[in-house]
Amino acid sequence: MSFASNAVIAKARAVCGHSLTAEDYTQLTAKESVADVCAYLKQTERYGRALSSVNPQTVHRGQLETLLRKSLFDIFERFHSFDQTKSREFFNFIVTQLEIEQVLSALQSVASGVSMSYIAALPVFLTEHSGLELGRLGMAKSYAEAAALLRGTRYEKTVCPALVEAESAGTLNIGEIERRLYTEFYLNMLKNAEKEYKGAEKKDLKRLILGVIDMRNVVTLFRCARLFGIPADDAKGALLPFKRRLSDETIERLAAESDIGKIAAELDSLGYGLNSQNIPATVELLTDRISLNDLKKKLRLSQSSTVVYFAFVELLGFELKNIKTIIEGIRYGLDGAQILEMLVV
């Protein structure tokens, strides 16, 4: 292994070593306001620098979340400058994933006719890296106008046909657009893994990516069955068309199952197990915790800088998700024990 690869692995593990601890989460879930959460995070090694100039008493929830997102993006950006291995390519996938989130959010704002809330939440730091006119997209007055703004971009073929159809029908199938965008996203990621890597490293990286996709598809199947009563055959059409361990037979069983305990047992039989006997209350928590276990293992044991980098990015994303969950829990008056049960830990 090269010196550069060793350096990336060491740095990624060091950064993750500054992650919020179980004690941090216990303290945070006991807070009573966004101001209290902000004040606590200002004292942590991870977020102290990003929040150094923030007054906890005046910051509101949206501002805090934007600052925290930017602090993680800054970490990835510094890694991109530091990293001289093939793993630096994954910075482009980070930008693309953030773009996809914003495109979906912008289109939802077009559909609802509420553009100002999108503009208020738009991460300005992303506009410096994106070639899209995200502000104008979120302010579009029609699906046709949104389609015009996406023509000539890499999202034209994926999104514009659906927008043209929505202009005629009057309704937008945002779920199908999301499926198309993430299908293209993961296809490009898998193509990169196939082209740029060899042997065990390629195999390990593809398994990690496909494992993340498997968990997304499990959540989709559950939502189709439990929330919308969609038949198994139709639910298959909502999945991302890649899989690691989910056979057609497994997909059919999961599509017909609404009991989370049985879903957990099914996934455990495939090698997707929890490190706990406690079954989470939601399928989203179940799949996130399964992914967390796998990512932590890869971060600790892999000798591939790219595999470690991928795990590192995903793990920091889970930490941000936990903070947002804490803020939302406090906002809705949940007690600390309830919020702790909702975290991906």
Side-chain angles (χ1 to χ4, degrees):
M1 185 168 27
S2 70
F3 174 81
S5 294
N6 277 328
V8 169
I9 291 171
K11 189 171 179 66
R13 289 172 179 164
V15 172
C16 281
H18 298 314
S19 296
L20 298 179
T21 65
E23 176 60 23
D24 287 325
Y25 285 131
T26 299
Q27 293 290 329
L28 284 165
T29 55
K31 302 304 179 187
E32 297 182 352
S33 68
V34 172
D36 292 340
V37 170
C38 182
Y40 186 92
L41 291 174
K42 280 189 73 168
Q43 305 306 311
T44 64
E45 191 159 5
R46 165 79 83 233
Y47 299 105
R49 178 180 175 184
L51 301 177
S52 61
S53 62
V54 175
N55 182 349
Q57 299 306 315
T58 59
V59 72
H60 63 69
R61 178 175 58 93
Q63 288 175 321
L64 179 57
E65 290 181 2
T66 297
L67 287 168
L68 295 175
R69 289 182 73 186
K70 184 179 185 305
S71 74
L72 293 192
F73 188 82
D74 287 345
I75 292 174
F76 303 145
E77 195 169 24
R78 289 196 295 272
F79 249 82
H80 184 62
S81 300
F82 160 84
D83 189 359
Q84 297 303 313
T85 72
K86 286 183 289 188
S87 62
R88 77 192 313 268
E89 299 267 341
F90 274 78
F91 180 76
N92 296 326
F93 289 115
I94 295 171
V95 173
T96 300
Q97 188 162 24
L98 289 171
E99 268 189 351
I100 288 172
E101 291 172 5
Q102 290 306 309
V103 168
L104 291 170
S105 182
L107 294 181
Q108 286 174 325
S109 108
V110 173
S112 64
V114 183
S115 58
M116 292 314 297
S117 58
Y118 169 78
I119 296 301
L122 178 63
V124 176
F125 65 85
L126 179 60
T127 62
E128 300 171 5
H129 296 271
S130 172
L132 300 180
E133 296 184 86
L134 292 170
R136 290 184 63 194
L137 183 64
M139 295 288 287
K141 302 301 183 184
S142 67
Y143 300 126
E145 184 181 346
L149 288 167
L150 289 172
R151 288 197 179 96
T153 74
R154 57 183 165 185
Y155 301 107
E156 178 176 359
K157 292 182 180 179
T158 310
V159 180
C160 286
L163 291 175
V164 171
E165 182 179 332
E167 185 70 22
S168 300
T171 57
L172 181 68
N173 187 343
I174 195 71
E176 175 59 18
I177 290 178
E178 181 176 7
R179 189 193 70 82
R180 292 180 188 179
L181 285 169
Y182 278 105
T183 294
E184 183 176 41
F185 173 74
Y186 284 115
L187 177 62
N188 289 335
M189 190 177 283
L190 289 165
K191 283 181 176 179
N192 176 268
E194 185 68 36
K195 178 182 177 182
E196 299 295 335
Y197 300 92
K198 298 179 181 180
E201 184 176 34
K202 176 171 74 174
K203 187 176 182 180
D204 212 16
L205 179 58
K206 290 177 70 174
R207 281 179 173 176
L208 196 56
I209 296 168
L210 290 170
V212 169
I213 295 171
D214 273 359
M215 294 302 101
R216 288 183 69 106
N217 279 338
V218 169
V219 171
T220 298
L221 287 168
F222 180 84
R223 289 175 177 172
C224 287
R226 183 76 174 266
L227 301 181
F228 304 108
I230 297 174
D233 286 344
D234 294 335
K236 290 179 184 178
L239 302 182
L240 299 176
F242 317 100
K243 54 191 176 185
R244 178 181 172 188
R245 292 175 177 166
L246 297 186
S247 66
D248 290 340
E249 293 78 11
T250 300
I251 288 172
E252 288 181 8
R253 288 195 296 272
L254 289 173
E257 186 57 71
S258 60
D259 184 277
I260 295 176
K262 292 180 180 178
I263 292 172
E266 180 80 42
L267 294 177
D268 186 63
S269 72
L270 298 175
Y272 288 133
L274 289 167
N275 284 342
S276 169
Q277 297 301 311
N278 297 324
I279 303 301
T282 67
V283 73
E284 290 85 358
L285 265 179
L286 171 66
T287 54
D288 280 351
R289 289 178 182 176
I290 288 171
S291 293
L292 184 77
N293 292 338
D294 194 31
L295 292 163
K296 283 184 173 179
K297 183 178 179 181
K298 296 301 183 187
L299 180 81
R300 187 176 68 253
L301 300 177
S302 179
Q303 296 304 303
S304 162
S305 62
T306 302
V307 170
V308 168
Y309 183 82
F310 183 91
F312 153 78
V313 169
E314 294 287 316
L315 288 169
L316 292 192
F318 278 132
E319 182 171 277
L320 180 59
K321 186 175 185 178
N322 282 338
I323 296 172
K324 292 172 70 174
T325 298
I326 291 168
I327 293 171
E328 284 295 299
I330 292 170
R331 180 187 177 197
Y332 287 106
L334 302 181
D335 64 40
Q338 289 175 296
I339 300 173
L340 274 174
E341 287 297 317
M342 298 165 63
L343 303 185
V344 185
V345 294

